[in-house]
Amino acid sequence: MNILTTLVEKTQEAITKLYGLSDSNISFEQTNSKFDGDLTFVVFPYLKYSKKRPEDTAKEIGDYISEKMEEIKSFNVVKGFLNIEFNDDYWLNVLQNRIDLGIQIPEIGMDKKIVVEYSSPNTNKPLHLGHIRNNVLGYSICQIFDAVGYDVVKNNLVNDRGIHICKSMVAYQKWGNSETPESAGLKGDHLIGKYYVMFDQHYQKEVIDLISKGVDKDDAKEKSPLMVETRNMLQKWENGDQEVISLWKKLNGWVYDGFESTYNRLGVSFDKIYYESDTYLLGKEIVKEGLKSNVFFKKEDGSIWIDLTPEGLDEKIVQRSDGTSVYITQDIGTADLKYQEFEMDKFVYVVGNEQDYHFKVLQLILKRLGKSYADGLYHLSYGMVDLPEGKMKSREGTVVDADELMDEVVSTAKKQTEELGKTDGMSPQELAELYEVLGIGALKYYLLKVDAKKRMMYDPKESIDFQGNTAPFIQYTYTRIASLLRAAEKVDFKLPKVFNPVEKDLIKLISNYPNVITSAANNYNPSEVANAVYELAKTFNKFYHELTILGEQDQNTRSFRITLSNMVGETIKHGFNLLGIQVPERM
RNA sequence: GGUUCCAUAGCUCAACCGGAUAGAGCAACGGUUUUCUAAACCGUAGGUUCCAGGUUCGAGUCCUGGUGGGAUCACCA
């Protein structure tokens, strides 16, 4: 039986016997590190039943439960806080279990399926730092759900059609001179991005020209020849015009090649990819049904709406008066498609918080339509990555390009490593891999260590750190351990005579690690894993500095420390794997 | 304007869903290497948790009102 369960049981028993109160909601928390003890029970809420001072109440309860449980070595009372300390046998047991069974994570997702949609790029420009946050978060949350036992489907919905795609196509057609990624020496996505920007520049000029000729601003935007041409192209695309389709295929193909290399370098992947060009007509049938069942209603001009005012929102359009569908209609259709294909228990959208309203509406509509899966929808709404001067904007060129940033951070890794000069004997290929692992790791960790929901700042002038709370720090800790283990003889695990305080801290962190994963899954929050691994690495470095491991004379103590180090290394590797970050054996 | 999210050390972020003396890293200053990797370790300094009330034994955390910032409210996606 779990120690915590027993503890709660006995505490309940104590409170019932002593104060006649049954059925209270007992909970323990980790003892604050500034006090002695392992777990803490707060007695303040029970004072009105005990009618005694906090100290006396805590002591009574402490006396009772330490009498009943032999795992309890001692307890101390500070004001209304009852701090309980377990004996060494208990901790030995915990460690023995960890050795025998490895890292055991509660399978809260057993027999459940989850579909996580992330990345979802537009195929008209290269990826930037904001996309990296999305990808890294999406991938990590998939790893975490996998670790807690879910059957995970990593899903990408590629926005490969629409007016924005036609913009790059028009520009390429006009000014491209049959340029190819090879002839231009550019990645495909960057080449297309160039034409997207080019379109916007010419378009802005046209609009200004028209305005100077006295045309109204909104009118000018509509009537600019480029925009007219773009709309025509979209029309042709929808009608299946051969020439347009083949241009579209060619340009999109280039972009996919570009994305693929970016994804590979980032280490993210997908099990199922949907293309909007295949799915954009979905949802229309559902709209038809919803109209019949009066979930939707039709206005005089033929447009179809849903009234969400009872839920405190507005009326929302689901089909235009010309019969075409809008963004949300496609999402309704795609949600249904997902369910038909996977029958998932949960489906997650990793999408920025600027779409909070959209997903609230989407879920409401699915509920109104009586879709059984609607409750399983979760919008993992992450914050934007801001620059010191504010939001990143593709059109204004104030973006941090994903590929450039990866190059930069990998070359920083190279420079740092060379300065430290500890990599003698590594082959050029091993070194190149190391720089990749360190650089990309630093970048990913930088993005994952902050709470996903919060918006964060990135200052391009200050390059990403390699010291302190960073991936290289943790990776360095791992290589220290790897190096130790290479030099150490095979050992049998033994318990030392006494635990050193740092050793005790390590044991606690290791034993608490599975709970961290559970919590990270429940909160859809990889940063909890990052912080726990950091805490562990930091504590290990303190341990490593304060105590000798291989040079320790006492056999038991030495083998214990080697085993403990090994466990720390395994835990770091496990945690980093959940974050999608690799660990090197040397650095 | 309506809705919604946010505000913690000079900077970037934590704080186990209401608990004890609010913690890290960076930056600054000082120290540690004949000994297992100094990308490390130890120390100093840095706080009225935006403001004003309220609830509670207890509030950075919950409620009300302000101030400041972001997002959103399209027959765009």
Side-chain angles (χ1 to χ4, degrees):
Chain A
M1 166 147 359
N2 186 307
I3 186 95
L4 191 62
T5 321
T6 319
L7 202 51
V8 167
E9 221 167 70
K10 295 298 165 196
T11 308
Q12 175 64 66
E13 203 176 294
I15 287 169
T16 309
K17 289 220 167 134
L18 293 168
Y19 314 126
L21 176 70
S22 57
D23 198 35
S24 48
N25 199 3
I26 309 271
S27 75
F28 280 80
E29 52 195 78
Q30 301 260 337
T31 300
N32 187 310
S33 58
K34 277 166 267 180
F35 300 88
D36 289 331
D38 299 318
L39 288 177
T40 295
F41 180 63
V42 183
V43 303
F44 287 113
Y46 304 94
L47 297 182
K48 52 182 170 236
Y49 304 105
S50 75
K51 302 194 170 61
K52 290 178 181 162
R53 295 167 50 222
E55 291 84 348
D56 298 338
T57 309
K59 181 160 190 317
E60 276 184 349
I61 298 171
D63 279 335
Y64 185 94
I65 59 177
S66 58
E67 179 81 11
K68 303 274 171 175
M69 288 178 68
E70 57 183 18
E71 293 93 339
I72 296 175
K73 178 175 155 191
S74 65
F75 68 89
N76 67 80
V77 172
V78 182
K79 291 188 277 184
F81 298 90
L82 170 61
N83 302 317
I84 289 165
E85 196 174 346
F86 298 123
N87 61 26
D88 288 356
D89 277 354
Y90 167 74
W91 289 113
L92 173 65
N93 230 312
V94 168
L95 291 174
Q96 195 61 57
N97 269 325
R98 171 65 175 69
I99 291 165
D100 295 343
L101 304 171
I103 298 170
Q104 289 280 303
I105 296 163
E107 301 242 318
I108 57 176
M110 190 141 49
D111 298 325
K112 288 188 195 155
K113 188 171 260 191
I114 186 168
V115 177
V116 179
E117 180 183 309
Y118 71 99
S119 201
S120 306
N122 289 328
T123 57
N124 62 348
K125 53 181 183 292
L127 306 177
H128 59 64
L129 180 55
H131 296 111
I132 300 187
R133 190 178 195 193
N134 179 305
N135 280 288
V136 157
L137 259 176
Y139 183 80
S140 177
I141 209 68
C142 286
Q143 291 288 93
I144 290 167
F145 275 109
D146 181 67
V148 297
Y150 277 89
D151 182 4
V152 180
V153 178
K154 300 197 290 277
N155 175 221
N156 190 357
L157 172 62
V158 181
N159 295 301
D160 62 344
R161 50 133 258 138
I163 195 84
H164 52 297
I165 309 295
C166 292
K167 287 178 182 176
S168 323
M169 287 164 65
V170 165
Y172 179 82
Q173 214 173 33
K174 280 186 139 28
W175 305 296
N177 293 319
S178 306
E179 191 175 35
T180 65
E182 290 75 30
S183 73
L186 276 176
K187 272 179 83 221
D189 49 339
H190 288 263
L191 181 70
I192 300 308
K194 187 175 93 177
Y195 288 101
Y196 182 66
V197 171
M198 205 180 283
F199 177 94
D200 201 60
Q201 287 164 348
H202 286 87
Y203 169 61
Q204 295 298 342
K205 209 180 289 170
E206 285 187 357
V207 170
I208 289 165
D209 275 2
L210 285 170
I211 292 174
S212 72
K213 286 178 189 147
V215 182
D216 172 77
K217 190 179 168 192
D218 290 337
D219 233 23
K221 283 184 177 169
E222 289 286 306
K223 287 181 178 154
S224 130
L226 270 175
M227 190 50 88
V228 170
E229 203 175 333
T230 306
R231 275 200 304 270
N232 283 339
M233 185 177 272
L234 182 59
Q235 196 69 52
K236 282 184 180 170
W237 185 91
E238 291 189 359
N239 293 334
D241 180 284
Q242 277 308 310
E243 202 185 327
V244 170
I245 296 283
S246 83
L247 177 68
W248 172 73
K249 281 188 177 160
K250 181 166 77 175
L251 301 197
N252 266 357
W254 291 344
V255 174
Y256 294 144
D257 290 344
F259 282 175
E260 201 186 326
S261 81
T262 307
Y263 283 148
N264 279 338
R265 199 172 187 192
L266 266 181
V268 303
S269 58
F270 305 96
D271 306 309
K272 175 74 195 183
I273 299 179
Y274 291 123
Y275 295 92
E276 198 191 294
S277 52
D278 295 329
T279 61
Y280 80 107
L281 294 175
L282 295 176
K284 285 185 141 188
E285 279 304 309
I286 299 176
V287 168
K288 219 180 272 176
E289 286 165 30
L291 199 54
K292 243 182 255 168
S293 57
N294 290 323
V295 173
F296 304 131
F297 66 94
K298 195 178 254 187
K299 288 195 176 176
E300 282 171 12
D301 62 3
S303 57
I304 300 176
W305 299 71
I306 185 167
D307 179 15
L308 296 174
T309 48
E311 282 88 354
L313 306 175
D314 300 323
E315 288 183 351
K316 182 84 186 172
I317 188 160
V318 295
Q319 187 172 304
R320 298 190 188 98
S321 51
D322 64 5
T324 58
S325 44
V326 292
Y327 177 42
I328 197 129
T329 323
Q330 297 175 35
D331 268 355
I332 294 167
T334 315
D336 218 57
L337 177 68
K338 277 183 197 171
Y339 188 70
Q340 283 166 30
E341 200 166 342
F342 299 108
E343 294 190 358
M344 65 282 176
D345 302 279
K346 288 179 188 233
F347 58 125
V348 177
Y349 293 89
V350 182
V351 178
N353 62 11
E354 50 197 358
Q355 295 197 35
D356 284 353
Y357 181 75
H358 173 78
F359 283 101
K360 207 190 249 179
V361 170
L362 177 63
Q363 185 167 36
L364 271 173
I365 293 179
L366 292 173
K367 272 189 189 168
R368 290 269 199 100
L369 287 166
K371 299 293 181 188
S372 58
Y373 52 80
D375 286 327
L377 186 156
Y378 184 82
H379 174 205
L380 173 39
S381 162
Y382 64 90
M384 299 288 103
V385 183
D386 287 330
L387 303 174
E389 43 305 333
K391 207 184 161 184
M392 280 191 257
K393 293 210 175 100
S394 297
R395 274 168 310 173
E396 293 170 21
T398 57
V399 287
V400 177
D401 180 76
D403 295 312
E404 283 173 24
L405 182 57
M406 285 193 282
D407 284 341
E408 190 185 308
V409 75
V410 168
S411 84
T412 309
K414 182 171 191 276
K415 212 174 74 193
Q416 292 263 343
T417 308
E418 283 170 352
E419 269 172 27
L420 292 167
K422 294 193 283 194
T423 50
D424 287 348
M426 286 177 77
S427 73
Q429 199 199 332
E430 284 172 326
L431 284 171
E433 278 167 24
L434 176 63
Y435 303 148
E436 224 27 56
V437 167
L438 293 175
I440 303 295
L443 174 59
K444 287 183 166 187
Y445 187 87
Y446 177 83
L447 294 167
L448 286 171
K449 76 174 172 185
V450 333
D451 188 335
K453 292 184 253 323
K454 290 195 178 169
R455 133 169 159 238
M456 63 180 293
M457 252 273 285
Y458 172 74
D459 188 348
K461 287 193 289 293
E462 296 171 22
S463 56
I464 288 178
D465 273 323
F466 280 59
Q467 267 121 36
N469 188 358
T470 66
F473 168 84
I474 295 165
Q475 289 164 323
Y476 173 71
T477 310
Y478 181 83
T479 59
R480 272 183 152 178
I481 294 167
S483 162
L484 266 179
L485 295 174
R486 278 195 296 270
E489 76 276 27
K490 262 272 188 235
V491 292
D492 291 325
F493 171 61
K494 300 266 173 47
L495 193 71
K497 293 182 193 73
V498 284
F499 287 130
N500 195 284
V502 209
E503 293 170 339
K504 187 75 171 287
D505 287 344
L506 282 176
I507 295 167
K508 282 195 206 177
L509 289 171
I510 289 168
S511 73
N512 190 48
Y513 176 74
N515 302 331
V516 172
I517 309 306
T518 310
S519 171
N522 285 332
N523 297 327
Y524 300 83
N525 190 9
S527 76
E528 293 180 29
V529 179
N531 289 327
V533 174
Y534 171 61
E535 195 63 35
L536 181 63
K538 206 157 59 102
T539 308
F540 179 82
N541 279 317
K542 190 183 162 100
F543 160 80
Y544 183 89
H545 188 263
E546 280 181 11
L547 305 169
T548 44
I549 299 163
L550 297 178
E552 170 59 41
Q553 292 303 307
D554 181 72
Q555 280 277 355
N556 281 8
T557 306
R558 183 168 72 242
S559 70
F560 166 70
R561 287 180 186 162
I562 291 170
T563 311
L564 191 58
S565 302
N566 187 28
M567 280 192 259
V568 172
E570 284 172 357
T571 308
I572 287 175
K573 191 172 188 174
H574 189 276
F576 259 33
N577 182 47
L578 297 186
L579 299 177
I581 303 175
Q582 292 176 279
V583 285
E585 296 299 316
R586 280 191 63 190
M587 64 188 273

